[in-house]
Amino acid sequence: MIKHLLCALALSWTVAASCQAQTVDLDKATIAQLRAAMDAGQLTSERLVRLSLARMDAYDDKGPQINAVITRNPRALAEARALDAELKAKGRRSPLHGIPVVLKDNFDTADLATTGGSIFLEGSIPPDDAFLVKKLREAGAVILAKVNLSEFASGGAYSSLGGQTRNPHDLLRSPLGSSGGTGAAIAAGYAPLGLGTDTGGSVRWPAAANGIVGLRPTHGLLSRDGIIPLSLSFDTAGPLARNVSDVAVALGLLAGVDPADPATAKSQGRAQTDYTPYLKADALKGVRIGVARDFMGQDAEFDWVMEASIAVMKAAGATIVDVRLPRWLIESKGEFYSAVRMSEFPVQLQAYLATLKPGYPRTLDEMIERSYRLPAPRPDGAGPNATRWSLLRREQASVALTDPAYTAVRDQALPLVVAALDGVFTANRLDAIIYPPLAERPELISRTGGTRAATPGGGASSGTNLASLSGFPELVVPAGFTTDQLPVGLSFIGRAFDEGKILGIGYAFEQATQARRQPVHTPPLKGEALSIGARKP
């Protein structure tokens, strides 16, 4: 009898232990953990949306005034409640069912204004959702808000409509552009997932500056239909999140062919519906990593984080190879980028403007003319964006798409860049190339107005336009901090459609370093500790 009693007690203790919930801070919870808690009835989409809105209330307009949000979705709570009811009645649509998402305000949303951050498009309701927004809604995601950006996705983290966004790690510094609102919002915990766009570095810079994960996917893996264009030869959407696994979840749901975007034909048979199987803690073992030291040497503390990251990868079983990129590529990449991007914007923007309702400008010339009517801020704070509006005149004066100065770069130089980078991968038998996407601290807002990212393609000191020119994928993962507590990111470049490989490598690096930290200016709020993993009795 005593033996049976002891067995019964042991069984009861085992059952009790297995029923205990794991307490996870909202800031550290992955989408997979949130999803499991929802499926188990321990969390609702409505509660998650309320927690997100509470962080916006506390940190965006008040408190540190991050100023990342342009427009909130007034129906977000109602949509969350409907998705909770659907989950109970029918089950979940996807891993994103009931998950809040923020969108850079250059993604078309048929129920919310899409402005590009510009007064010129204030209040513009596009005819329908962007292709990726449709996919998010079909997956059951809750579109929580449209967030600030560099106006028309070029320049610093400032727009005439949204003003200046601040870095939640250091309020005196920029979160960088052009997806600065998305980067700051994710770092500040407004949502687990955000979408940005990247032409010359606009997902990767904010990811690095805000201490989060960001992916510029292979050109053509994600549709650009319904996104305000900057330069379609380089433009791509890209997910930002607090961890690699959330980026992988989003990518699998968004990737694929869209007949409305011819570039996505390249992804036929190469896009995958689930990238999470690549996420293995030992994915660094046996891989060969090339180090592009051409972009180091600008800040000793950033270089130290790079060397520490290399040591971590070696310890995890990776082979490290120093690579030198061709000198002509380093010297010419900025000029190649500018030659294409500056000429494409006026023409491609005009095609987008033609889809809008009457009353909005139809050409770049008309926008420039309207800019001269607003020499001072309005009472609500919206006002001139002199740096970006001056750039409009440079874009206006760029050569036509039939000019040899454009066509020679598009048709000859860009394939040459692809061949050169492929050659580096092949010659060194590399799985990825690493470098610092930012090699020095983000600029002080007071010193430059947050405009450094206006430099076409990031300038000679940045390597981000390598992926832009080649169309190769690039993943940014938090790697460490400076002594003044600013995040340092690490980039992993892969070959075309090697997203699974670089996500796996990035995940293994993330698990080994655990380098991300919640920003000091957006700490936990009351009620954000979540019980995850408890079983119903």
Side-chain angles (χ1 to χ4, degrees), residues 292-295 323-336 417 420-421 459-463 465-466 469:
R293 296 186 179 274
D294 301 271
F295 308 108
V323 298
R324 290 292 177 181
L325 300 172
R327 181 51 48 189
W328 65 262
L329 178 57
I330 300 297
E331 294 175 351
S332 303
K333 63 186 181 61
E335 187 175 349
F336 290 164
V417 172
L421 285 179
S461 64
S462 173
N465 47 19
L466 293 175
L469 295 170

Side-chain angles (χ1 to χ4, degrees), residues 427-465:
N428 295 282
R429 295 178 287 116
L430 300 178
D431 296 286
I433 295 173
I434 62 170
Y435 77 101
L438 290 177
E440 55 187 333
R441 293 159 172 78
E443 72 265 31
L444 291 164
I445 293 168
S446 61
R447 181 175 300 172
T448 66
T451 59
R452 178 189 294 165
T455 304
S461 64
S462 173
T464 55
N465 47 19

Side-chain angles (χ1 to χ4, degrees), residues 198-199 216 219 231-236 337 340 414 468-469:
D198 190 303
T199 306
R216 176 192 166 89
H219 190 265
S231 175
L232 290 175
S233 289
F234 305 138
D235 287 350
T236 180
Y337 176 86
V340 174
L414 297 188
S468 301
L469 295 170

Side-chain angles (χ1 to χ4, degrees), residues 4 8 18 50 79 88 109 129 152 154 186 257 259 349 352 395 402 418-419 429 447 511 515 517 537:
H4 289 180
S18 67
R50 287 190 184 278
E79 292 172 8
K88 289 182 179 179
T109 43
D129 284 339
F152 292 115
S154 184
I186 298 303
V257 175
L349 178 68
Y352 175 83
E395 292 161 338
T402 55
V418 173
R429 295 178 287 116
R447 181 175 300 172
Q511 298 307 300
R517 298 290 182 269

Side-chain angles (χ1 to χ4, degrees), residues 409-422:
V409 174
R410 183 196 63 192
D411 300 338
Q412 306 297 326
L414 297 188
L416 185 61
V417 172
V418 173
L421 285 179
D422 259 333

